[in-house]
Amino acid sequence: MAVNRNFRTCPSTGLVYHEPAEKLIRWNAVAGVVSLLVGGVLALLVTLTRWPAVKLLPPDWFYLALTAHGLDMLVFWIIFFEIAVLYFAASTLLKCRLATPKVAWAAFWLMIVGAVMNNIAVFKGDSSVMFTSYVPMGAHPLFYLGLILFAVGALVAVFVFFGTLVIGKAEKTYNGSIPLVTFGAVTAAIIATFTIAAGAIILIPTFLWSVGLVSHIDSLMYRTVWWGFGHSSQQINVAAHVSVWYAIAAIVFGAKPMSEKVSRTAFVLYILFLQLASAHHLLADPGLTSNWKIFNTSYAMYLAVLASMVHGLTVPGAIEVAQREKGFNKGFFEWLRKAPWGNPCFSGMFISLLGFGFLGGISGVMMGTEQLNLIIHNTIYVPGHFHATVVVGTTLAFMALTYFLIPTLFRRELMFPGMAKWQPYVYGIGMSAFSLFMMGAGTLGVPRRHWDMAFSGAILPHEFPGTAYLMMGLTAVSGIAAVIGGGMYLAITVGSVFFGKKIQTPGFEHVPVKKGMAPAPAPVAVAPAGHGSIGLGGFVAPGTFVLAMVFLTSFVLYYFVNWKYLSTVWPLK
Amino acid sequence: MSQVPASPGPDDDVSDEPIPMMQQLIDNPFLLLFLGVAMPTVLYIVWGVMEIVGIPIAK
């Protein structure tokens, strides 16, 4: 079988694209953006329904929209885009041909069929079982079958990624260790493998239950194994978006990691411990012992949290060092003040980093503590937390990367560049406020997933304080701002990809490897000898050190404030 | 890719120093894959399922 060895080199970035890999990256990214569009429209409907003053949808439509929103955003948008990132990190960054492109296309179409099938099942109206689809609540068989097909396709794509690494090593397209960004993608692929296997273990019997071939699925067993899929799928995102942070720091600033060893070790901590955080969804469940809960959350998970803090320190630290070396060396923050805040690639990445750390990270550790979890379990605090991690953290990082990919991958000029400058701020600040207000309402006890927080007509009604209603109103207003930011992103990306001015240069032609356009193996990088005279008081990145101290102070204060709060809601006498 | 001519390859940079064990681990994606699947499978799924299976059934 003939192997396609056609490559092209991007004249502006120097990136090398293998022809089949390039098409697959584009198609996966486009499929992701289409899922984002559907999920975004549903997000607006859900937001306007949870706004007590508006209540847009009736209950049955609300639960339908919430189910489809969760799946289109948390599964289809994210995983399609992640597969694009995996192919980019393996084929383009290793300057290597993609393994088995035909199999990769089969995986792509399997994912498409699965995503469409799942959406059809939900929009038919008989599968409004939420993203979690807890048994004994049953959905249409197509709901489970769609998810299974999507997961199988994603697993095949992950193995195409691993195959590409093997080819790169065998054909010596790189020397020494793989680049850090590719190593982050390896981390994401490993977590994806566990995630999809856990999904298969529980969704296949549940599908058989839905068609009547299995009589009973134990609900606690379902929840335990399902969260191995449901939460770990969001850990793929963490590894992927951290890789994107490193990539953007290198692309925009030419920044090199402060310590490759430390950053790689942090990724290894993710590989070993990040998936165990799935247990924090089960902290209020009877049947599982505190030994299992506390080991998996308050011990093992902290090692993964440590890794996130390492990345949160080394990415801005690398940017600071790069900026100081360019001459922005005054005081603590000249490097940050004079960063290219008008470049959406940078601003999106930096808001993603801050939102993920300060909002998502701190709230995640609080929720992962067995005792504190009681305060906010099943409240709207939980979606507040994961909108900070998955939306501000992952989605915004992916959006930021898109602004780099449109000219180099799609060969189109960016449309609406003025709007692109503002988009990360509208989306990032809107979504950060959305998360924060949801967490505020959740702290006051407002339930998640509920159509009517007032429990109108219920036998045992509950009076929430006026502040809770105010928080829900502010949640909706900031949610609308975030939807506008999402709409701006879609207008820019869809407009650029389909109607943007084509970038035409001879260098964009695909040329067979034997004609000399193939990438030569990169020489081994010379180890940096030091950072010269940059920095303050012996610190090469003092501004980042100050930011880290602010983060740690916030972390400690918030953590202990919640213990104090727990003592007031649950008095022990 | 193997036809790429006359470029410095890894064989030209052979070092006498042994590769540290940690680096060997980090450079082996399949070993990492094994560890990354085995750890949560044992500590989260197998341990959790054993606890659920051990719950006495109500009579």
Side-chain angles (χ1 to χ4, degrees):
Chain A
M1 191 172 65
V3 174
N4 184 331
R5 292 179 187 274
N6 283 349
F7 285 83
R8 73 168 177 87
T9 304
C10 173
S12 54
T13 61
L15 290 171
V16 176
Y17 290 97
H18 181 221
E19 192 174 31
E22 185 180 8
K23 281 184 190 157
L24 278 155
I25 296 169
R26 283 188 200 173
W27 279 74
N28 276 284
V30 168
V33 170
V34 171
S35 307
L36 182 72
L37 171 65
V38 178
V41 172
L42 294 162
L44 183 63
L45 299 178
V46 170
T47 303
L48 291 176
T49 306
R50 288 237 53 176
W51 190 350
V54 177
K55 267 196 186 171
L56 183 70
L57 298 176
D60 51 347
W61 276 97
F62 168 73
Y63 292 115
L64 185 156
L66 189 55
T67 303
H69 168 67
L71 286 157
D72 281 319
M73 294 304 219
L74 287 171
V75 179
F76 305 134
W77 142 244
I78 293 281
I79 294 184
F80 271 122
F81 202 92
E82 274 162 0
I83 298 301
V85 170
L86 290 187
Y87 291 160
F88 178 82
S91 175
T92 306
L93 296 186
L94 295 183
K95 302 175 179 178
C96 172
R97 68 180 172 86
L98 191 77
T100 60
K102 283 183 182 168
V103 176
W105 278 112
F108 173 75
W109 287 112
L110 209 51
M111 289 168 72
I112 291 282
V113 169
V116 170
M117 193 181 280
N118 181 272
N119 268 279
I120 288 172
V122 175
F123 281 102
K124 272 175 63 189
D126 56 358
S127 300
S128 299
V129 291
M130 309 285 109
F131 170 58
T132 44
S133 55
Y134 288 146
V135 295
M137 202 160 47
H140 192 279
L142 284 182
F143 177 93
Y144 305 108
L145 187 60
L147 278 180
I148 291 165
L149 293 180
F150 183 84
V152 170
L155 188 62
V156 171
V158 165
F159 280 98
V160 170
F161 166 80
F162 281 116
T164 307
L165 296 185
V166 172
I167 288 176
K169 194 173 180 74
E171 298 187 352
K172 296 178 180 168
T173 63
Y174 65 96
N175 290 332
S177 303
I178 54 176
L180 184 63
V181 175
T182 310
F183 190 72
V186 168
T187 305
I190 290 170
I191 296 172
T193 308
F194 169 78
T195 301
I196 295 164
I201 290 170
I202 200 61
L203 287 173
I204 291 172
T206 310
F207 166 68
L208 296 175
W209 168 73
S210 73
V211 293
L213 293 174
V214 169
S215 62
H216 172 72
I217 302 279
D218 180 82
S219 60
L220 182 55
M221 192 75 85
Y222 178 92
R223 284 164 63 81
T224 305
V225 182
W226 189 90
W227 277 114
F229 161 77
H231 195 82
S232 302
S233 61
Q234 309 316 308
Q235 314 292 26
I236 311 169
N237 307 341
V238 175
H241 80 228
V242 169
S243 309
V244 169
W245 292 349
Y246 280 110
I248 290 176
I251 290 162
V252 177
F253 299 95
K256 291 175 184 161
M258 294 178 81
S259 165
E260 282 258 353
K261 280 182 193 167
V262 170
S263 297
R264 281 173 199 262
T265 306
F267 275 123
V268 172
L269 288 176
Y270 275 173
I271 289 170
L272 298 179
F273 300 110
L274 195 55
Q275 297 103 303
L276 305 180
S278 305
H280 84 251
H281 291 275
L282 300 153
L283 288 175
D285 276 52
L288 292 157
T289 65
S290 286
N291 292 340
W292 181 85
K293 290 174 183 174
I294 292 177
F295 177 84
N296 279 295
T297 57
S298 296
Y299 288 104
M301 192 181 85
Y302 291 163
L303 293 167
V305 171
L306 173 70
S308 285
M309 290 199 289
V310 167
H311 294 306
L313 180 72
T314 55
V315 173
I319 293 171
E320 180 174 354
V321 169
Q323 284 281 81
R324 285 182 183 277
E325 283 176 343
K326 285 177 192 161
F328 303 117
N329 194 31
K330 282 186 197 155
F332 282 97
F333 293 113
E334 189 192 22
W335 64 277
L336 195 54
R337 277 199 318 275
K338 297 201 173 163
W341 292 101
N343 178 347
C345 196
F346 166 73
S347 59
M349 181 279 273
F350 208 81
I351 297 169
S352 152
L353 188 145
L354 289 178
F356 178 77
F358 278 88
L359 298 177
I362 293 176
S363 60
V365 172
M366 193 286 274
M367 289 167 58
T369 307
E370 189 181 11
Q371 299 89 332
L372 298 181
N373 187 274
L374 292 173
I375 310 174
I376 50 81
H377 196 85
N378 264 346
T379 69
I380 202 164
Y381 186 101
V382 181
H385 155 75
F386 70 70
H387 278 79
T389 53
V390 179
V391 188
V392 184
T394 307
T395 296
L396 191 51
F398 287 178
M399 286 175 169
L401 184 67
T402 317
Y403 292 116
F404 168 74
L405 290 179
I406 286 172
T408 179
L409 179 66
F410 290 91
R411 291 177 272 164
R412 301 277 182 165
E413 285 182 11
L414 207 61
M415 278 184 90
F416 316 121
M419 192 198 289
K421 276 186 190 175
W422 286 101
Q423 188 275 329
Y425 296 98
V426 177
Y427 190 75
I429 295 171
M431 192 47 75
S432 297
F434 180 77
S435 303
L436 206 57
F437 289 128
M438 275 208 277
M439 287 193 256
T443 307
L444 295 169
V446 176
R448 66 185 297 197
R449 297 173 164 175
H450 206 290
W451 175 71
D452 177 24
M453 68 180 272
F455 299 103
S456 311
I459 298 166
L460 295 171
H462 180 78
E463 257 323 290
F464 281 107
T467 322
Y469 285 93
L470 174 67
M471 289 281 177
M472 290 305 289
L474 292 170
T475 298
V477 172
S478 21
I480 291 166
V483 168
I484 291 169
M488 289 162 75
Y489 169 78
L490 289 166
I492 296 160
T493 51
V494 175
S496 304
V497 167
F498 292 103
F499 309 109
K501 191 178 166 191
K502 280 188 180 173
I503 299 172
Q504 298 281 15
T505 57
F508 276 111
E509 297 303 317
H510 285 98
V511 179
V513 74
K514 57 190 169 193
K515 290 188 182 170
M517 278 296 291
V524 177
V526 178
H531 296 295
S533 57
I534 62 163
L536 288 173
F539 287 88
V540 289
T544 302
F545 182 75
V546 170
L547 289 177
M549 288 302 108
V550 171
F551 175 80
L552 284 175
T553 308
S554 315
F555 195 153
V556 170
L557 281 176
Y558 186 72
Y559 188 73
F560 286 105
V561 160
N562 275 283
W563 279 101
K564 170 75 178 137
Y565 183 49
L566 177 65
S567 74
T568 61
V569 295
W570 187 21
L572 296 172
K573 294 180 181 170
Chain B
M1 304 287 281
S2 53
Q3 303 101 314
V4 176
S7 292
D11 294 345
D12 303 323
D13 299 306
V14 174
S15 165
D16 292 336
E17 288 184 23
I19 299 170
M21 197 187 77
M22 189 65 185
Q23 191 180 331
Q24 286 183 39
L25 167 75
I26 283 176
D27 285 345
N28 187 338
F30 293 100
L31 186 56
L32 291 173
L33 175 63
F34 170 74
L35 291 173
V37 173
M39 284 281 283
T41 301
V42 173
L43 293 171
Y44 177 84
I45 290 191
V46 174
W47 184 4
V49 167
M50 281 170 64
E51 292 207 342
I52 296 166
V53 170
I55 298 171
I57 296 171
K59 291 177 182 170

